[in-house]
Amino acid sequence: MQNNSREEILNKIAAVRSKRIAAIDIQPSDTEEIYKPILPDSVTCFKNELETISGQCILCENEDDLFQKLKVFIQSQNIPSIYCRDSNIAEQLAKVEIPFSAD
């Protein structure tokens, strides 16, 4: 009698075990990509994702465009001055008349 109970319990465990393995067993697919393509491109995708979470992103064509847009942004935010330790960046800030301090 004890042998039958033991076998019955082991059979139940084996049945559940096979169902669990089947539930988590994932077969790799050659037809489905793991990573979805970034559309339309990585920069635009980043900008859209950032703006989705209430972030702000300003895209610039080149360094001159960057400093011009930075000036407009600083003025729109009523920022009186920014802090800059880098002498090369400070030189660019001075060219476009962005107030800054290095102290």
Side-chain angles (χ1 to χ4, degrees), residues 24-100:
I24 61 170
D25 190 25
I26 298 173
Q27 298 297 322
S29 172
D30 292 334
T31 59
E32 193 174 319
E33 291 185 32
I34 295 173
Y35 300 104
K36 304 297 180 206
I38 298 173
L39 299 173
D41 59 76
S42 58
V43 173
T44 305
C45 181
F46 173 79
K47 181 181 188 296
N48 293 339
E49 292 291 326
L50 186 61
E51 290 172 347
T52 299
I53 57 169
S54 300
Q56 191 171 12
C57 182
I58 300 170
L59 301 178
C60 303
E61 294 296 322
N62 53 41
E63 203 171 277
D64 292 333
D65 188 32
L66 166 79
F67 286 101
Q68 289 299 324
K69 288 181 178 177
L70 178 61
K71 182 178 183 178
V72 171
F73 176 77
I74 288 170
Q75 290 171 342
S76 72
Q77 299 295 313
N78 295 322
I79 299 171
S81 176
I82 62 172
Y83 178 75
C84 177
R85 289 179 28 178
D86 186 283
S87 60
N88 294 327
I89 295 174
E91 188 178 307
Q92 295 296 323
L93 293 172
K95 280 183 187 177
V96 293
E97 300 175 347
I98 295 175
F100 68 95

